[in-house]
Amino acid sequence: QVQLAESGGGLVQAGGSLRLSCSYTGTIFSLRTLNWFRQPPGKQRELVAAITTGGSTNYADSVKGRFTISRDNSKMTVYLQMNSLKPEDTAVYYCNVYIGGKPNWGQGTQVTVSL
C-alpha cells in the first residue's frame, strides 16, 4: 500500500517563503519520480516540479528560480521549498507519484499568498 501526506502549507505575505513536506510510505517510491502539483482556485491542476530517482529536477516556467524540489529517501520525504512567493502561487499543493501509469495523490495542503 502506498500513502502520501503533505504538510507545511499556510498563509504568507508576498515575497515570503514556505517549505512543504510530503511524507510517504511504500518501497516503490525510491524507484519513481516524485512530483509536486498545485491547483489554484478555479483552475486545473498543474505540474509544478519533479525530481527523479537520481536527483534530476524539472520545474514549471512560472516557478523556476523560486522553487526547489528535493527528496530525502532515508526520511521518505519529498520537499518543495518556495521562495519569493507571489499571490498567483496561491493553490492547494499536492505531492504525487505515478505507479503503473496511474497517479497517487496526497490529501493536499493549502498555500495562500497575500499582498
Side-chain angles (χ1 to χ4, degrees):
Q1 187 177 15
V2 298
Q3 292 181 324
L4 306 98
E6 302 93 337
S7 63
L11 176 64
V12 65
Q13 289 186 329
S17 298
L18 284 174
R19 183 178 176 88
L20 306 183
S21 300
C22 175
S23 299
Y24 56 85
T25 59
T27 58
I28 196 170
F29 287 97
S30 65
L31 305 175
R32 295 289 187 272
T33 293
L34 301 177
N35 311 288
W36 282 98
F37 284 75
R38 69 185 181 187
Q39 187 165 18
K43 297 184 178 180
Q44 298 298 118
R45 193 170 299 185
E46 62 182 356
L47 178 66
V48 175
I51 184 166
T52 70
T53 57
S56 297
T57 58
N58 209 349
Y59 300 93
D61 288 341
S62 60
V63 307
K64 192 171 296 183
R66 300 187 297 119
F67 290 12
T68 303
I69 187 173
S70 61
R71 65 193 293 170
D72 187 336
N73 289 334
S74 67
K75 296 181 178 179
M76 301 181 70
T77 303
V78 59
Y79 304 95
L80 186 67
Q81 178 67 46
M82 306 185 295
N83 299 326
S84 302
L85 284 162
K86 305 174 180 179
E88 49 263 46
D89 295 319
T90 294
V92 178
Y93 284 72
Y94 301 88
C95 58
N96 154 275
V97 61
Y98 282 86
I99 301 175
K102 298 180 179 180
N104 294 265
W105 305 99
Q107 81 285 354
T109 186
Q110 176 71 49
V111 172
T112 303
V113 184
S114 64
L115 293 171

